[in-house]
PDB file of all heavy atoms in Angstrom:
ATOM      1  N   VAL A  77     -16.991  -8.048   7.026  1.00 98.00           N
ATOM      2  CA  VAL A  77     -17.556  -7.648   5.738  1.00 98.00           C
ATOM      3  C   VAL A  77     -18.772  -6.754   5.960  1.00 98.00           C
ATOM      4  O   VAL A  77     -19.439  -6.850   6.993  1.00 98.00           O
ATOM      5  CB  VAL A  77     -17.902  -8.904   4.889  1.00 98.00           C
ATOM      6  CG1 VAL A  77     -19.076  -9.688   5.460  1.00 98.00           C
ATOM      7  CG2 VAL A  77     -18.152  -8.557   3.429  1.00 98.00           C
ATOM      8  N   GLY A  78     -19.032  -5.875   5.016  1.00 96.00           N
ATOM      9  CA  GLY A  78     -20.208  -4.999   5.096  1.00 96.00           C
ATOM     10  C   GLY A  78     -20.130  -4.120   6.330  1.00 96.00           C
ATOM     11  O   GLY A  78     -19.105  -3.491   6.610  1.00 96.00           O
ATOM     12  N   GLY A  79     -21.210  -4.125   7.098  1.00 97.00           N
ATOM     13  CA  GLY A  79     -21.254  -3.291   8.286  1.00 97.00           C
ATOM     14  C   GLY A  79     -20.196  -3.647   9.316  1.00 97.00           C
ATOM     15  O   GLY A  79     -19.933  -2.866  10.230  1.00 97.00           O
ATOM     16  N   SER A  80     -19.572  -4.807   9.175  1.00 97.00           N
ATOM     17  CA  SER A  80     -18.585  -5.207  10.175  1.00 97.00           C
ATOM     18  C   SER A  80     -17.196  -4.659   9.908  1.00 97.00           C
ATOM     19  O   SER A  80     -16.297  -4.855  10.729  1.00 97.00           O
ATOM     20  CB  SER A  80     -18.534  -6.741  10.270  1.00 97.00           C
ATOM     21  OG  SER A  80     -19.670  -7.194  10.966  1.00 97.00           O
ATOM     22  N   ILE A 128     -14.567  -9.871  13.150  1.00 98.00           N
ATOM     23  CA  ILE A 128     -15.790  -9.133  13.488  1.00 98.00           C
ATOM     24  C   ILE A 128     -16.960  -9.764  12.733  1.00 98.00           C
ATOM     25  O   ILE A 128     -17.006  -9.731  11.501  1.00 98.00           O
ATOM     26  CB  ILE A 128     -15.667  -7.645  13.107  1.00 98.00           C
ATOM     27  CG1 ILE A 128     -14.328  -7.074  13.631  1.00 98.00           C
ATOM     28  CG2 ILE A 128     -16.848  -6.851  13.642  1.00 98.00           C
ATOM     29  CD1 ILE A 128     -13.994  -5.701  13.100  1.00 98.00           C
ATOM     30  N   ALA A 129     -17.868 -10.350  13.464  1.00 98.00           N
ATOM     31  CA  ALA A 129     -19.005 -11.017  12.808  1.00 98.00           C
ATOM     32  C   ALA A 129     -20.162 -11.057  13.788  1.00 98.00           C
ATOM     33  O   ALA A 129     -20.023 -11.602  14.887  1.00 98.00           O
ATOM     34  CB  ALA A 129     -18.614 -12.435  12.394  1.00 98.00           C
ATOM     35  N   LYS A 130     -21.283 -10.476  13.378  1.00 96.00           N
ATOM     36  CA  LYS A 130     -22.384 -10.364  14.330  1.00 96.00           C
ATOM     37  C   LYS A 130     -22.902 -11.739  14.760  1.00 96.00           C
ATOM     38  O   LYS A 130     -22.977 -12.036  15.939  1.00 96.00           O
ATOM     39  CB  LYS A 130     -23.514  -9.508  13.756  1.00 96.00           C
ATOM     40  CG  LYS A 130     -24.589  -9.285  14.796  1.00 96.00           C
ATOM     41  CD  LYS A 130     -25.449  -8.095  14.531  1.00 96.00           C
ATOM     42  CE  LYS A 130     -26.416  -7.945  15.715  1.00 96.00           C
ATOM     43  NZ  LYS A 130     -27.427  -6.961  15.518  1.00 96.00           N
ATOM     44  N   ASN A 131     -23.290 -12.555  13.793  1.00 90.00           N
ATOM     45  CA  ASN A 131     -23.832 -13.869  14.166  1.00 90.00           C
ATOM     46  C   ASN A 131     -22.856 -15.002  13.898  1.00 90.00           C
ATOM     47  O   ASN A 131     -23.132 -16.148  14.193  1.00 90.00           O
ATOM     48  CB  ASN A 131     -25.126 -14.140  13.391  1.00 90.00           C
ATOM     49  CG  ASN A 131     -26.120 -13.026  13.640  1.00 90.00           C
ATOM     50  OD1 ASN A 131     -26.347 -12.655  14.783  1.00 90.00           O
ATOM     51  ND2 ASN A 131     -26.675 -12.468  12.578  1.00 90.00           N
ATOM     52  N   PHE A 132     -21.752 -14.673  13.272  1.00 95.00           N
ATOM     53  CA  PHE A 132     -20.750 -15.654  12.869  1.00 95.00           C
ATOM     54  C   PHE A 132     -21.357 -16.734  11.971  1.00 95.00           C
ATOM     55  O   PHE A 132     -21.165 -17.925  12.179  1.00 95.00           O
ATOM     56  CB  PHE A 132     -20.077 -16.276  14.096  1.00 95.00           C
ATOM     57  CG  PHE A 132     -18.784 -16.974  13.749  1.00 95.00           C
ATOM     58  CD1 PHE A 132     -17.819 -16.336  12.994  1.00 95.00           C
ATOM     59  CD2 PHE A 132     -18.525 -18.270  14.163  1.00 95.00           C
ATOM     60  CE1 PHE A 132     -16.635 -16.958  12.651  1.00 95.00           C
ATOM     61  CE2 PHE A 132     -17.348 -18.924  13.833  1.00 95.00           C
ATOM     62  CZ  PHE A 132     -16.406 -18.260  13.076  1.00 95.00           C
ATOM     63  N   THR A 134     -21.684 -15.612   8.464  1.00 96.00           N
ATOM     64  CA  THR A 134     -21.320 -15.108   7.139  1.00 96.00           C
ATOM     65  C   THR A 134     -20.090 -15.857   6.625  1.00 96.00           C
ATOM     66  O   THR A 134     -19.114 -16.056   7.363  1.00 96.00           O
ATOM     67  CB  THR A 134     -21.037 -13.589   7.218  1.00 96.00           C
ATOM     68  OG1 THR A 134     -22.144 -12.976   7.872  1.00 96.00           O
ATOM     69  CG2 THR A 134     -20.875 -12.975   5.848  1.00 96.00           C
ATOM     70  N   PRO A 137     -16.068 -13.854   6.500  1.00 98.00           N
ATOM     71  CA  PRO A 137     -15.253 -13.787   7.718  1.00 98.00           C
ATOM     72  C   PRO A 137     -15.031 -15.155   8.363  1.00 98.00           C
ATOM     73  O   PRO A 137     -13.939 -15.444   8.860  1.00 98.00           O
ATOM     74  CB  PRO A 137     -16.058 -12.863   8.653  1.00 98.00           C
ATOM     75  CG  PRO A 137     -17.416 -12.763   8.064  1.00 98.00           C
ATOM     76  CD  PRO A 137     -17.303 -13.055   6.615  1.00 98.00           C
ATOM     77  N   PHE A 185     -20.238  -7.226  20.189  1.00 97.00           N
ATOM     78  CA  PHE A 185     -21.005  -6.635  19.094  1.00 97.00           C
ATOM     79  C   PHE A 185     -22.414  -6.532  19.670  1.00 97.00           C
ATOM     80  O   PHE A 185     -23.091  -7.548  19.839  1.00 97.00           O
ATOM     81  CB  PHE A 185     -20.978  -7.588  17.889  1.00 97.00           C
ATOM     82  CG  PHE A 185     -21.400  -6.988  16.585  1.00 97.00           C
ATOM     83  CD1 PHE A 185     -20.689  -7.290  15.423  1.00 97.00           C
ATOM     84  CD2 PHE A 185     -22.503  -6.146  16.482  1.00 97.00           C
ATOM     85  CE1 PHE A 185     -21.064  -6.761  14.193  1.00 97.00           C
ATOM     86  CE2 PHE A 185     -22.887  -5.613  15.267  1.00 97.00           C
ATOM     87  CZ  PHE A 185     -22.171  -5.924  14.124  1.00 97.00           C
ATOM     88  N   GLY A 190     -27.440  -3.091  14.296  1.00 97.00           N
ATOM     89  CA  GLY A 190     -27.151  -3.775  13.032  1.00 97.00           C
ATOM     90  C   GLY A 190     -25.763  -3.405  12.532  1.00 97.00           C
ATOM     91  O   GLY A 190     -25.213  -2.368  12.908  1.00 97.00           O
ATOM     92  N   GLY A 191     -25.196  -4.237  11.662  1.00 97.00           N
ATOM     93  CA  GLY A 191     -23.835  -4.018  11.174  1.00 97.00           C
ATOM     94  C   GLY A 191     -23.609  -2.608  10.663  1.00 97.00           C
ATOM     95  O   GLY A 191     -22.672  -1.917  11.075  1.00 97.00           O
ATOM     96  N   ARG A 192     -24.489  -2.144   9.780  1.00 97.00           N
ATOM     97  CA  ARG A 192     -24.243  -0.835   9.152  1.00 97.00           C
ATOM     98  C   ARG A 192     -24.532   0.321  10.103  1.00 97.00           C
ATOM     99  O   ARG A 192     -24.313   1.476   9.746  1.00 97.00           O
ATOM    100  CB  ARG A 192     -25.036  -0.706   7.850  1.00 97.00           C
ATOM    101  CG  ARG A 192     -26.530  -0.924   7.989  1.00 97.00           C
ATOM    102  CD  ARG A 192     -27.185  -1.073   6.625  1.00 97.00           C
ATOM    103  NE  ARG A 192     -28.623  -1.281   6.704  1.00 97.00           N
ATOM    104  CZ  ARG A 192     -29.212  -2.466   6.891  1.00 97.00           C
ATOM    105  NH1 ARG A 192     -28.474  -3.553   7.057  1.00 97.00           N
ATOM    106  NH2 ARG A 192     -30.518  -2.572   6.918  1.00 97.00           N
ATOM    107  N   GLN A 270     -23.489   1.509   1.384  1.00 98.00           N
ATOM    108  CA  GLN A 270     -24.081   0.342   2.048  1.00 98.00           C
ATOM    109  C   GLN A 270     -25.247   0.759   2.941  1.00 98.00           C
ATOM    110  O   GLN A 270     -26.314   0.145   2.937  1.00 98.00           O
ATOM    111  CB  GLN A 270     -23.057  -0.406   2.892  1.00 98.00           C
ATOM    112  CG  GLN A 270     -23.673  -1.692   3.458  1.00 98.00           C
ATOM    113  CD  GLN A 270     -23.009  -2.241   4.692  1.00 98.00           C
ATOM    114  OE1 GLN A 270     -21.882  -1.884   5.005  1.00 98.00           O
ATOM    115  NE2 GLN A 270     -23.690  -3.111   5.396  1.00 98.00           N
ATOM    116  N   GLU A 274     -28.628  -0.760   1.502  1.00 97.00           N
ATOM    117  CA  GLU A 274     -29.157  -1.925   2.220  1.00 97.00           C
ATOM    118  C   GLU A 274     -30.385  -1.552   3.056  1.00 97.00           C
ATOM    119  O   GLU A 274     -31.236  -2.389   3.336  1.00 97.00           O
ATOM    120  CB  GLU A 274     -28.054  -2.508   3.120  1.00 97.00           C
ATOM    121  CG  GLU A 274     -28.187  -4.000   3.332  1.00 97.00           C
ATOM    122  CD  GLU A 274     -26.958  -4.618   3.988  1.00 97.00           C
ATOM    123  OE1 GLU A 274     -26.334  -3.975   4.850  1.00 97.00           O
ATOM    124  OE2 GLU A 274     -26.626  -5.775   3.649  1.00 97.00           O
ATOM    125  N   GLN A 402     -32.482  -6.668   5.998  1.00 92.00           N
ATOM    126  CA  GLN A 402     -31.848  -6.832   4.688  1.00 92.00           C
ATOM    127  C   GLN A 402     -32.162  -8.220   4.155  1.00 92.00           C
ATOM    128  O   GLN A 402     -31.274  -8.975   3.788  1.00 92.00           O
ATOM    129  CB  GLN A 402     -30.326  -6.573   4.740  1.00 92.00           C
ATOM    130  CG  GLN A 402     -29.494  -7.418   5.692  1.00 92.00           C
ATOM    131  CD  GLN A 402     -29.524  -6.950   7.116  1.00 92.00           C
ATOM    132  OE1 GLN A 402     -29.696  -5.768   7.387  1.00 92.00           O
ATOM    133  NE2 GLN A 402     -29.383  -7.878   8.048  1.00 92.00           N
TER     134      GLN A 402
HETATM  135  O1  PA5 B 501     -25.556  -4.131   7.942  1.00 52.49           O
HETATM  136  C1  PA5 B 501     -25.624  -5.339   8.027  1.00 52.49           C
HETATM  137  O2  PA5 B 501     -26.319  -5.910   8.876  1.00 52.49           O
HETATM  138  C2  PA5 B 501     -24.827  -6.248   7.107  1.00 52.49           C
HETATM  139  O3  PA5 B 501     -24.222  -5.546   6.087  1.00 52.49           O
HETATM  140  C3  PA5 B 501     -23.759  -6.989   7.891  1.00 52.49           C
HETATM  141  O4  PA5 B 501     -22.939  -6.061   8.533  1.00 52.49           O
HETATM  142  C4  PA5 B 501     -22.895  -7.889   7.011  1.00 52.49           C
HETATM  143  O5  PA5 B 501     -23.685  -8.748   6.260  1.00 52.49           O
HETATM  144  C5  PA5 B 501     -21.938  -8.713   7.862  1.00 52.49           C
HETATM  145  O6  PA5 B 501     -22.625  -9.485   8.796  1.00 52.49           O
HETATM  146  P1  PA5 B 501     -21.884 -10.268   9.955  1.00 52.49           P
HETATM  147  O7  PA5 B 501     -21.256  -9.302  10.872  1.00 52.49           O
HETATM  148  O8  PA5 B 501     -22.971 -11.036  10.658  1.00 52.49           O
HETATM  149  O9  PA5 B 501     -20.869 -11.160   9.294  1.00 52.49           O
END
Side-chain angles (χ1 to χ4, degrees):
V77 69
S80 285
I128 312 169
K130 186 159 184 188
N131 304 312
F132 197 50
T134 309
F185 195 138
R192 56 192 180 275
Q270 186 203 342
E274 210 169 36
Q402 58 279 331

